[in-house]
């Protein structure tokens, strides 16, 4: 089974590819990109919840750090959810400039967020939670999105 | 493990990188005017004082400013460490470097020992403070990725480049060392272009290309070995250059081969990227890949022409490769920094990244810049092209300065007018 770090890093890449597919569709027609947008948003939301409800929670319980890095990552999740919501509104309004302006902003935020997680938080989580790694990955895999 | 890099409060203040970014094009504009009032025949010699002045307005004033600004900004994200006292360090280092660069340009122009002495003090302390502090930060990195290794390697080279540069500047005060100038200047310039600029760009592109363009990842061989192999090449070249100069071509070919391979890899990765968008930053990556390929080959062939084309090599690699990538990345980084800092303060209704820099102006800046580089190269054969190319270069740098100022003004205006400050943004977690 993958480690926590491998599992979540691969999931970042999967979401990146969904993002790229959405942009490609949107380049042709915003209306035709709705399905790809929904898939990207759902899968990204799933990723955030895997972190917030499973991995972050386990990390916080183990280390006692609730106001540390996980709090900052949660805050960035909020920022990105906000951008994704605005992208949906731009999609509905058929406003291509707005949509691509938001998607570019989201992409930058997403990537620096991912870098910080992969560089620091996942490495740290793997160190603290290595004994429970398999259990945590299994929990993330079987989690149902709320 | 240090988590400071994860927090906006601990992230470098936006003024730390912006200070360097805002100054850089001003030095390029000065360089442009110096070219405009120079003679082609003087510029064809790398050792003419005019060439040295113009080169350093660009390499110190433009390139190193952008690289240092970016390093201070990127370390927390790419390496997970914070630069100690980043605000004080960047302020002091920036001030000293501006002072040192200005006095270097004046000191060399007027052959004034006092100016050159001030310049040595300014550049010496300015560079060593920031290099030292960044090195201390990098020493604390726990997860040593290929990018961090490349950053550390480029800092190693820049340390020696600065020492050599200071010695060269001193040789204009004390003439008894002037005989060493060609030898040291040659090492100084090759290590600066390939060891500092080249390796830093390669290291950062390992991260940036796959992430921002969803391009295929670099192969493990590239990430693990290329920086080491280039460094070996640079040391091999140093040894051959000092003791067996007739064989230095072997090391040049070694170094050029890896940079050409890098240029080709960048081109291929961009072609295979998953994100379809094609903006000015993508064009800059593309153009830098072409210029680097041409420059690498010309650098080797130049050996057969008694360094007749070395200035052309400098234009292709220094301007076409390194400057291109720096400008391209500024277009990505500055709007994001403005957005990120404003959003982090709780402002929700702010322009998106794409709305901060006028796309047409960015495109115009790109065209003028590339046209000026091509013009500079052909000015070797058609000297009348020099003036028009210099004008094109100056215009491109004025537009670049404007394109950097525009997002900064949005930042200042938003902070001043507080359109929709929303504290709820902080209570959701």
């Amino acid at each position: 089974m993958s480690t926590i770090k491998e599992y979540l890093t691969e999931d970042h890449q999967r979401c990146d590819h969904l993002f790229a597919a959405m942009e490609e569709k949107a380049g042709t027609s915003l209306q035709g990109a709705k399905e790809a947008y929904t898939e990207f948003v759902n899968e990204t939301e799933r990723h955030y919840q895997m972190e917030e409800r499973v991995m972050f929670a386990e990390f916080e319980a183990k280390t006692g750090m609730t106001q540390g890095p996980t709090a900052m990552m949660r805050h960035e999740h909020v920022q990105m959810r906000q951008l994704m919501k605005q992208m949906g509104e731009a999609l509905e309004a058929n406003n291509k400039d707005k949509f691509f302006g938001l998607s570019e902003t989201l992409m930058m935020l997403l990537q620096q967020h991912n870098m910080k997680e992969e560089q620091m938080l996942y490495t740290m989580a793997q160190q603290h939670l290595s004994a429970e790694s398999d259990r945590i990955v299994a929990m993330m895999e079987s989690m149902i999105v709320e | 493990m240090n988590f400071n890099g994860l927090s906006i409060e601990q992230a470098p203040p936006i003024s730390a990188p912006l200070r360097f970014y805002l100054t850089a094009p001003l030095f390029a504009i000065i360089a442009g005017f110096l070219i405009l009032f120079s003679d082609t025949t003087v510029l064809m010699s790398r050792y003419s004082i005019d060439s040295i002045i113009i080169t350093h307005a660009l390499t110190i004033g433009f390139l190193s400013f952008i690289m240092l600004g970016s390093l201070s900004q990127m370390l927390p994200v790419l390496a997970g460490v914070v630069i100690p006292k980043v605000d004080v360090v960047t302020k002091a280092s920036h001030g000293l470097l501006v002072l040192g660069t200005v006095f270097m340009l004046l000191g060399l122009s007027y052959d004034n020992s006092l100016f050159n002495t001030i310049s040595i003090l300014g550049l010496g302390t300015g560079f060593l403070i920031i290099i030292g502090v960044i090195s201390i930060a990098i020493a604390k990195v726990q997860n040593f990725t290929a990018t961090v290794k490349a950053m550390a390697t480029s800092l190693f080279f820049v340390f020696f480049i600065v020492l050599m540069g200071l010695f060269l500047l001193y040789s204009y005060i004390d003439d008894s060392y002037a005989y060493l100038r060609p030898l040291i200047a040659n090492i100084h310039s090759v290590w600066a272009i390939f060891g500092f600029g080249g390796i830093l760009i390669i290291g950062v592109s390992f991260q940036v290309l796959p992430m921002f363009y969803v391009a295929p990842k670099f192969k493990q061989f590239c990430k693990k070995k290329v920086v080491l192999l280039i460094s070996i090449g640079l040391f091999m070249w140093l040894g051959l250059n000092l003791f067996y100069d007739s064989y230095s071509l072997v090391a040049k070919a070694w170094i050029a081969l890896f940079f050409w391979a890098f240029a080709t890899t960048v081109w291929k990765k961009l072609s295979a990227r998953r994100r379809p968008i094609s903006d000015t930053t993508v064009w800059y990556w593309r153009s830098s890949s072409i210029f680097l390929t041409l420059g690498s080959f010309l650098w080797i062939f130049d050996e057969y022409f008694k360094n007749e084309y070395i200035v052309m090599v400098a234009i292709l690699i220094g301007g076409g490769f390194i400057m291109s990538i720096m400008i391209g990345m500024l277009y990505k980084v500055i709007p994001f920094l403005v957005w990120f800092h404003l959003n982090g303060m709780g402002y929700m209704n702010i322009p998106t990244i794409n709305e901060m820099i006028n796309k047409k102006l960015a495109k115009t800046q790109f065209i003028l810049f590339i046209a000026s580089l091509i013009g500079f190269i052909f000015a070797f054969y058609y000297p009348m092209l020099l003036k028009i190319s210099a004008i094109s270069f100056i215009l491109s740098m004025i537009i670049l300065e404007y394109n950097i100022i525009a997002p900064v003004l949005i930042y200042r205006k938003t902070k001043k007018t507080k359109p929709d400050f929303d504290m709820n943004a902080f209570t959701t977690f």
Side-chain angles (χ1 to χ4, degrees):
Chain A
M1 191 176 252
S2 318
T3 63
I4 295 171
K5 185 176 178 173
E6 285 164 356
Y7 181 75
L8 288 171
T9 303
E10 278 164 27
D11 204 48
H12 278 164
Q13 285 158 26
R14 204 171 59 83
C15 291
D16 285 351
H17 288 173
L18 291 174
F19 178 94
M22 170 193 70
E23 274 196 334
E24 195 169 3
K25 285 258 164 62
T28 329
S29 139
L30 277 193
Q31 294 311 308
K34 279 186 180 163
E35 204 177 306
Y37 164 80
T38 309
E39 194 184 358
F40 163 71
V41 171
N42 288 347
E43 290 306 303
T44 306
E45 181 57 36
R46 180 181 168 74
H47 180 89
Y48 294 165
Q49 290 198 22
M50 285 197 299
E51 291 182 334
E52 291 168 356
R53 290 171 46 211
V54 183
M55 198 278 263
F56 290 0
E58 295 275 349
F59 179 84
E60 286 162 357
K62 184 91 179 179
T63 62
M65 285 199 284
T66 53
Q67 288 308 308
T70 48
M72 192 60 211
M73 294 298 102
R74 283 176 201 272
H75 172 59
E76 290 191 355
H77 288 174
V78 173
Q79 287 179 302
M80 291 186 282
R81 283 182 176 117
Q82 177 74 18
L83 280 170
M84 288 191 287
K85 192 170 148 248
Q86 289 175 337
M87 278 165 70
E89 287 159 9
L91 209 60
E92 287 303 323
N94 210 12
N95 187 340
K96 217 168 188 172
D97 278 352
K98 192 79 188 165
F99 179 84
F100 277 101
L102 291 162
S103 77
E104 183 66 29
T105 311
L106 176 65
M107 190 60 181
M108 291 290 287
L109 186 61
L110 200 61
Q111 294 308 337
Q112 64 88 41
H113 174 82
N114 292 356
M115 272 190 245
K116 288 192 278 197
E117 285 188 336
E118 290 170 22
Q119 183 72 21
M120 289 169 273
L121 188 56
Y122 293 170
T123 311
M124 186 71 166
Q126 194 57 45
Q127 284 167 3
H128 280 279
L129 304 169
S130 60
E132 295 108 303
S133 181
D134 284 355
R135 177 180 63 82
I136 292 169
V137 171
M139 272 170 73
M140 289 195 287
E141 254 176 342
S142 58
M143 187 202 72
I144 295 165
V145 180
E146 284 179 354
Chain B
M1 182 172 280
N2 188 339
F3 280 115
N4 288 343
L6 286 176
S7 133
I8 184 116
E9 293 80 21
Q10 294 291 334
I14 193 168
S15 58
L18 285 185
R19 187 174 289 128
F20 286 100
Y21 296 158
L22 284 164
T23 319
L26 300 177
F27 280 110
I29 293 168
I30 293 174
F33 277 105
L34 292 170
I35 299 171
L36 185 64
F37 297 116
S38 293
D39 196 278
T40 329
T41 48
V42 177
L43 294 185
M44 277 184 80
S45 161
R46 66 182 291 196
Y47 294 121
S48 73
I49 204 76
D50 286 21
S51 290
I52 293 170
I53 293 168
I54 292 164
T55 304
H56 288 87
L58 292 170
T59 52
I60 303 179
F62 189 84
L63 295 178
S64 80
F65 272 51
I66 295 177
M67 289 190 209
L68 293 174
S70 301
L71 273 173
S72 67
Q73 172 58 37
M74 289 187 312
L75 271 184
V77 177
L78 289 178
V81 287
V82 176
I83 298 173
K85 306 220 181 306
V86 64
D87 197 27
V88 182
V89 167
T90 50
K91 246 183 215 161
S93 167
H94 174 264
L96 289 162
L97 288 173
V98 170
L99 178 88
T101 314
V102 170
F103 275 93
M104 179 183 181
L105 305 183
L106 291 171
L108 291 178
S109 296
Y110 298 106
D111 193 18
N112 182 313
S113 294
L114 176 65
F115 288 175
N116 282 332
T117 309
I118 296 172
S119 171
I120 288 176
L121 292 172
L123 291 176
T125 48
F127 271 122
L128 294 178
I129 287 172
I130 198 158
I131 294 169
V133 175
I134 293 178
S135 303
I136 292 169
I138 286 190
K140 291 181 188 151
V141 173
Q142 302 216 348
N143 189 7
F144 243 76
T145 60
T147 301
V148 181
K149 280 181 193 158
M151 281 179 173
T153 312
S154 72
L155 281 175
F156 168 83
F157 280 108
V158 82
F159 176 71
F160 288 101
I161 297 155
V162 169
L163 292 187
M164 284 187 263
L166 294 175
F167 171 79
L168 288 166
L169 201 47
Y170 182 71
S171 78
Y172 287 92
I173 299 171
D174 182 350
D175 262 354
S176 60
Y177 293 102
Y179 73 100
L180 283 169
R181 247 182 247 156
L183 178 74
I184 305 285
N186 202 21
I187 301 167
H188 169 80
S189 55
V190 168
W191 275 25
I193 286 204
F194 296 106
F196 179 42
I199 287 180
L200 187 60
I201 288 174
I202 289 177
V204 172
S205 49
F206 289 155
Q207 288 275 356
V208 164
L209 280 183
M211 290 194 134
F212 292 154
Y213 304 100
V214 196
K217 285 186 164 184
F218 283 79
K219 292 205 169 74
Q220 281 305 318
F221 171 80
C222 286
K223 287 180 159 180
K224 288 195 170 144
K225 298 280 185 280
V226 166
V227 169
L228 177 69
L229 289 167
I230 291 172
S231 305
I232 291 172
L234 286 166
F235 274 98
M236 195 162 77
W237 174 82
L238 174 70
L240 292 172
N241 188 46
L242 288 175
F243 304 110
Y244 303 99
D245 195 28
S246 49
Y247 293 101
S248 61
L249 180 66
V250 178
K252 278 174 89 168
W254 172 291
I255 298 163
L257 177 77
F258 284 108
F259 276 92
W260 168 67
F262 171 70
T264 313
T265 310
V266 166
W267 187 273
K268 282 167 76 178
K269 300 244 174 260
L270 280 174
S271 301
R273 75 187 189 282
R274 304 285 284 262
R275 284 191 86 189
I277 52 126
S278 183
D279 55 15
T280 315
T281 68
V282 176
W283 299 354
Y284 266 119
W285 277 102
R286 293 273 195 205
S287 64
S288 68
S289 165
I290 296 171
F291 281 116
L292 177 58
T293 304
L294 295 173
S296 302
F297 283 107
L298 189 62
W299 190 46
I300 300 171
F301 291 125
D302 178 55
E303 193 78 12
Y304 297 106
F305 294 96
K306 296 177 184 161
N307 291 345
E308 211 175 290
Y309 294 103
I310 197 72
V311 175
M312 216 189 268
V313 174
I315 296 168
L316 287 169
I317 299 186
F321 166 53
I322 304 181
M323 271 185 92
S324 284
I325 288 193
M326 296 289 130
I327 301 171
M329 290 324 292
L330 285 183
Y331 283 142
K332 273 251 179 264
V333 168
I334 295 172
F336 174 69
L337 283 179
V338 168
W339 188 92
F340 185 67
H341 280 265
L342 286 176
N343 197 280
M345 287 172 202
Y347 299 109
M348 292 293 141
N349 195 14
I350 41 181
T352 61
I353 285 182
N354 283 2
E355 290 159 333
M356 290 192 194
I357 294 178
N358 184 313
K359 278 185 192 168
K360 278 187 188 149
L361 272 181
K363 204 185 272 185
T364 311
Q365 191 278 325
F366 171 82
I367 293 166
L368 287 169
F369 175 70
I370 299 296
S372 73
L373 291 182
I374 296 170
F376 288 143
I377 290 163
F378 283 97
F380 280 80
Y381 307 106
Y382 308 103
M384 76 274 195
L385 282 176
L386 188 72
K387 298 248 181 279
I388 183 82
S389 306
I391 292 168
S392 179
F393 182 81
I394 293 166
L395 286 175
S396 82
M397 289 301 139
I398 292 172
I399 299 173
L400 178 64
E401 181 72 45
Y402 176 81
N403 287 344
I404 297 172
I405 290 174
V408 177
L409 289 180
I410 291 175
Y411 176 80
R412 288 182 61 171
K413 195 178 153 202
T414 310
K415 265 186 83 178
K416 215 172 170 183
T417 54
K418 301 190 184 345
D420 65 338
F421 192 72
D422 182 6
M423 275 313 287
N424 289 330
F426 295 97
T427 55
T428 38
F429 63 89

